[in-house]
Amino acid sequence: MELPYQFTTTATTNEIRSEYASLEEGTSSGKTVTIAGRLMLRRVQGKVAFGDLQDMTGRIQLFAPAKVTPEYDSFTSLNIGDWIGVTGEIMKTKRGELSVKVEQWIVLASAARPFPDKWHGITDPDLRYRQRYVDLWVTEEARENFQMRSNMLSLTRRWLEDKGFLEVETPVFHPIPGGALARPFSTHHNALDTELYLRIAPELYLKRLIVGGFEKVFEIARVFRNEGISSRHNPEFTMLELYQAYADWNDIMELAENLIEHLAVELMGTAHISYGGKEIDLTSPWRRATLVDLIEEHAGLNVSLDTPLGDLQTICDTLDIEVLPSWGAGKLLLEIYEKTVEPNLWGPCFVTEYPSEVSPLSREHRQKPGYTERFEAIIAGREILNGFSELVDPQEQQQRFEEQLAQNKAGDEEAMVVDSDYIRALEYGLPPTGGIGIGIDRLIMLLADVQTIRDVILFPTLRPEPQTSDSESPEDQDLSS
């Protein structure tokens, strides 16, 4: 059977349903359309066959009487999952089902592998992620999640552009890793004979653009971190990063909570959402609380940067936190917070005043030495975003980089190294600037009410698939089991 090279449609299933929803039962519209999609259900009742055709916008019933439908026996022998094109009149059956009468039809592509049916779908989660091209057809929630993700990105762009932000693109290949505390992926560029790193964050390049005179910039960036895989982590993920000249952390906190409230209202119809059966109110303003205050609130520990290092190490031992010898009080405080507070903080809450030791790109707190004007937003026990008043002093930034380099050499693979070109950019002058990074995947998890990041990434990173033998036929891999 020769398959066509092209097929022209005149309507979508959603357009038909929207325009002809009020058509009376048992009547015809007099309107002929051509539609295309997959055959997802089929049943035969004597000389009449019914099917469900699904396209990107939804489903509609096919009504195929033997006396009208050409090659009727072939039509009733189609496989579930076959792509077909259909031309026919829009009608509504006596039972009130809006339908397209099959007056012409053609096979556009055959499904050579067994296709899951409506009632069972794909029951193996791993198979869903590996074969997303099937999952999207048979799992309605999957389609809705990814449509919501697309809508969220569009809404975000429009919201930021309306506020004067310029969308930009910065390099994916970096000569040195930087912009976040994370272990990078590395690769080799043959022509230059040099090592390059997949970006772990676009931050340092975006701030170079502030130096260059673009006062409000953002990037929706694919970033890569060579870390473990979990329900909240995928090595390849999406970040929204934005930077605004003349702003500080208070301005950026306000911007962030307003943006997320706006997205919730636009996508969900309300800022009061449910996640895992528990309510979350995203209405701004959100709570603001310091890291050390939250440790006392949740763990009953009165600790700070002034707490003797030995006491902090003892607390870490009690909490089964593995400690490296190079860690100072700031890093130990962060580890205590992450163990005792973050998973239990429902939020939304801006956690503020992170220690300088763990915030190498953040500006010193204007009243509290040793702390920075850095914040993270925690919602449902997860970090959703990270932001701060940006460090603008090149000498201080050089010192912070050197401290990070010492930690890197001491065995901390996530610590930064010295970025001399970024220091040079700061020497040309970075005005007061506020910035933020928002985890797009975690944010859509929250709004879609899903528990694993794999449900919001179309093709998540997985272990290599076991190889099947060459003799295994397509029918041996039944997706419905």
Side-chain angles (χ1 to χ4, degrees):
M1 175 175 60
E2 184 175 355
L3 300 174
Y5 281 72
Q6 184 267 354
F7 188 78
T8 301
T9 62
T10 62
T12 67
T13 61
N14 183 60
E15 289 170 345
I16 295 170
R17 288 195 171 279
S18 298
E19 188 172 351
Y20 293 93
S22 60
L23 190 66
E24 293 185 6
E25 296 177 2
T27 62
S28 297
S29 67
K31 172 71 173 180
T32 297
V33 293
T34 298
I35 57 177
R38 282 194 192 269
L39 183 66
M40 299 302 293
L41 284 176
R42 187 195 63 238
R43 63 188 186 280
V44 180
Q45 298 176 354
K47 293 297 182 178
V48 179
F50 299 88
D52 274 9
L53 182 138
Q54 180 173 325
D55 64 10
M56 184 176 176
T57 66
R59 288 192 183 195
I60 198 162
Q61 178 172 275
L62 301 178
F63 175 72
K67 63 181 180 181
V68 173
T69 302
E71 300 183 59
Y72 177 77
D73 290 340
S74 296
F75 182 84
T76 60
S77 299
L78 288 169
N79 294 320
I80 300 300
D82 283 350
W83 290 83
I84 59 173
V86 172
T87 298
E89 187 178 9
I90 299 169
M91 55 168 289
K92 187 171 281 189
T93 66
K94 293 180 180 179
R95 294 187 175 184
E97 187 65 37
L98 192 63
S99 307
V100 174
K101 186 183 295 184
V102 183
E103 298 169 352
Q104 298 177 41
W105 67 277
I106 185 173
V107 175
L108 303 176
S110 296
R113 290 177 177 265
F115 217 83
D117 64 31
K118 173 183 177 182
W119 308 111
H120 297 95
I122 304 178
T123 57
D124 180 353
D126 187 69
L127 201 56
R128 285 187 56 211
Y129 305 135
R130 292 189 189 280
Q131 300 188 21
R132 185 72 82 186
Y133 38 83
V134 179
D135 178 48
L136 290 171
W137 286 102
V138 300
T139 309
E140 184 175 357
E141 294 82 3
R143 292 195 306 276
E144 291 174 350
N145 289 344
F146 292 111
Q147 287 168 347
M148 181 187 291
R149 181 186 178 113
S150 178
N151 292 339
M152 189 181 82
L153 292 174
S154 296
L155 288 165
T156 299
R157 284 188 166 97
R158 289 200 295 271
W159 193 85
L160 290 172
E161 288 167 353
D162 288 345
K163 295 187 178 304
F165 281 84
L166 177 71
E167 183 172 12
V168 297
E169 295 175 308
T170 62
V172 172
F173 289 130
H174 290 187
I176 60 173
L181 299 175
R183 184 180 178 182
F185 288 95
S186 62
T187 187
H188 186 80
H189 190 281
N190 291 335
L192 295 177
D193 191 24
T194 187
E195 290 298 306
L196 294 173
Y197 301 89
L198 295 180
R199 67 180 171 196
I200 56 178
E203 175 170 340
L204 300 186
Y205 282 93
L206 291 172
K207 287 193 285 193
R208 285 174 170 93
L209 295 179
I210 299 290
V211 172
F214 289 148
E215 295 175 359
K216 292 182 176 181
V217 295
F218 78 95
E219 181 172 12
I220 297 176
R222 204 68 169 175
V223 295
F224 310 86
R225 298 184 183 179
N226 198 351
E227 58 189 14
I229 296 174
S230 73
S231 62
R232 293 183 290 173
H233 298 89
N234 192 71
E236 177 183 2
F237 62 100
T238 304
M239 290 282 290
L240 163 67
E241 290 217 10
L242 64 86
Y243 295 87
Q244 179 176 341
Y246 320 126
D248 70 359
W249 65 333
N250 292 308
D251 299 311
I252 300 302
M253 278 189 272
E254 183 178 352
L255 181 148
E257 63 193 0
N258 288 339
L259 169 60
I260 293 176
E261 180 185 9
H262 169 76
L263 294 175
V265 171
E266 290 294 315
L267 294 169
M268 313 300 295
T270 177
H272 296 262
I273 67 169
S274 176
Y275 186 75
K278 192 173 180 180
E279 296 303 310
I280 301 174
D281 183 4
L282 296 175
T283 305
S284 61
W286 298 352
R287 182 190 181 194
R288 287 145 170 80
T290 70
L291 183 143
V292 294
D293 285 346
L294 286 168
I295 292 175
E296 183 172 9
E297 178 182 316
H298 284 260
L301 297 170
N302 185 7
V303 291
S304 70
L305 292 177
D306 296 326
T307 303
L309 197 62
D311 292 351
L312 293 175
Q313 291 171 334
T314 299
I315 292 171
C316 287
D317 291 340
T318 303
L319 295 171
D320 293 325
I321 297 172
E322 187 175 347
V323 175
L324 293 179
S326 61
W327 289 356
K331 175 63 172 173
L332 296 176
L333 276 179
L334 178 64
E335 291 292 322
I336 293 169
Y337 156 78
E338 290 183 344
K339 186 67 176 280
T340 63
V341 178
E342 186 171 291
N344 305 308
L345 189 60
W346 194 249
C349 178
F350 286 118
V351 182
T352 64
E353 299 182 10
Y354 282 68
S356 302
E357 180 184 349
V358 294
S359 310
L361 300 170
S362 306
R363 196 163 186 173
E364 281 283 321
H365 195 287
R366 61 195 84 181
Q367 277 109 28
K368 297 182 180 181
Y371 296 94
T372 62
E373 294 193 352
R374 173 187 167 191
F375 61 90
E376 289 187 359
I378 307 301
I379 308 177
R382 296 170 181 167
E383 174 202 342
I384 299 295
L385 57 87
N386 178 36
F388 34 85
S389 300
E390 304 298 328
L391 180 54
V392 299
D393 186 317
Q395 292 182 337
E396 186 176 352
Q397 185 64 80
Q398 177 75 35
Q399 178 184 342
R400 299 267 196 96
F401 277 154
E402 289 174 354
E403 290 170 354
Q404 284 286 302
L405 180 61
Q407 293 180 25
N408 185 282
K409 291 180 177 180
D412 187 349
E413 294 181 320
E414 295 187 350
M416 297 182 187
V417 295
V418 178
D419 188 334
S420 298
D421 179 71
Y422 180 66
I423 297 297
R424 178 170 57 190
L426 291 182
E427 289 171 345
Y428 280 96
L430 176 66
T433 298
I436 196 172
I438 300 177
I440 291 296
D441 311 282
R442 290 187 183 178
L443 182 54
I444 194 63
M445 283 175 65
L446 180 74
L447 297 178
D449 192 10
V450 300
Q451 302 301 314
T452 173
I453 198 170
R454 294 181 179 185
D455 283 335
V456 296
I457 295 177
L458 279 167
F459 300 101
T461 304
L462 303 169
R463 292 184 182 276
E465 187 174 8
Q467 295 297 310
T468 58
S469 65
D470 293 339
S471 61
E472 183 177 7
S473 66
E475 290 74 14
D476 292 328
Q477 296 188 15
D478 187 349
L479 297 178
S480 63
S481 61

